[in-house]
Amino acid sequence: METRSLQDTVAPEGICYGCGGKNPHGLHIQSYWHEDGVHVMAQHTPDARYCGWPELVYGGLIAMLVDCHSNWTAMAYHYRAEGRAPGSSPAIECVTGSLGVKFIKPTPMGVPLTLRAHVEGDVGRKSRVICEVYAGDTLTAVGDSIFVRVDTAQLKAAAHSRES
């Protein structure tokens, strides 16, 4: 895998709770292209405060990991599809269009989680990303989500121009 994460390369000032390196309270998820050139990988060991049932990871945390990592997979895919290095201009940004997570087995606390994602298909600005979550060698969850390529400056302007 590459030595510098997609997040550190593309958005070193990122403040997202899940993947922003500059969020002092965040999870700081780091995603990397796998050597196979198809998958984007990440690892995360949940802190004890993200416990759901005793000794099990809270499902909401798993959903957040899938969301952030899958979004970075979509963005990395678009850079690669255009033959551009991650972080090159103009920036490629995506947002979650839909997030689906299927919980297959309980995810134990205290075990490093591996996220393995790839783009299953893309049509225009939309990409379908499949993200598998493993606790050790055990598949515990699968994300099946849609990410939409956007201009985040326009989204921000639209969100803040709403009337109450």
Side-chain angles (χ1 to χ4, degrees), residues 3-104:
T3 57
R4 194 161 184 230
S5 73
L6 291 163
Q7 291 85 347
D8 287 345
T9 301
V10 176
E13 299 299 317
I15 59 166
C16 173
Y17 181 79
C19 59
K22 293 294 181 183
N23 186 324
H25 308 289
L27 300 178
H28 305 142
I29 298 165
Q30 300 284 291
S31 305
Y32 301 86
W33 272 111
H34 188 273
E35 61 193 24
D36 68 9
V38 174
H39 294 93
V40 175
M41 308 292 290
Q43 290 200 337
H44 181 78
T45 302
D47 185 274
R49 67 183 147 191
Y50 298 108
C51 188
W53 288 97
E55 301 300 317
L56 299 178
V57 178
Y58 170 58
L61 175 70
I62 294 170
M64 181 175 23
L65 293 170
V66 167
D67 185 25
C68 283
H69 183 64
S70 296
N71 194 18
W72 279 100
T73 300
M75 290 186 288
Y77 171 86
H78 285 292
Y79 276 109
R80 190 164 276 183
E82 293 180 10
R84 300 197 291 133
S88 61
S89 292
I92 292 175
E93 299 168 310
C94 294
V95 295
T96 309
S98 68
L99 179 65
V101 181
K102 181 177 181 181
F103 297 96
I104 297 174

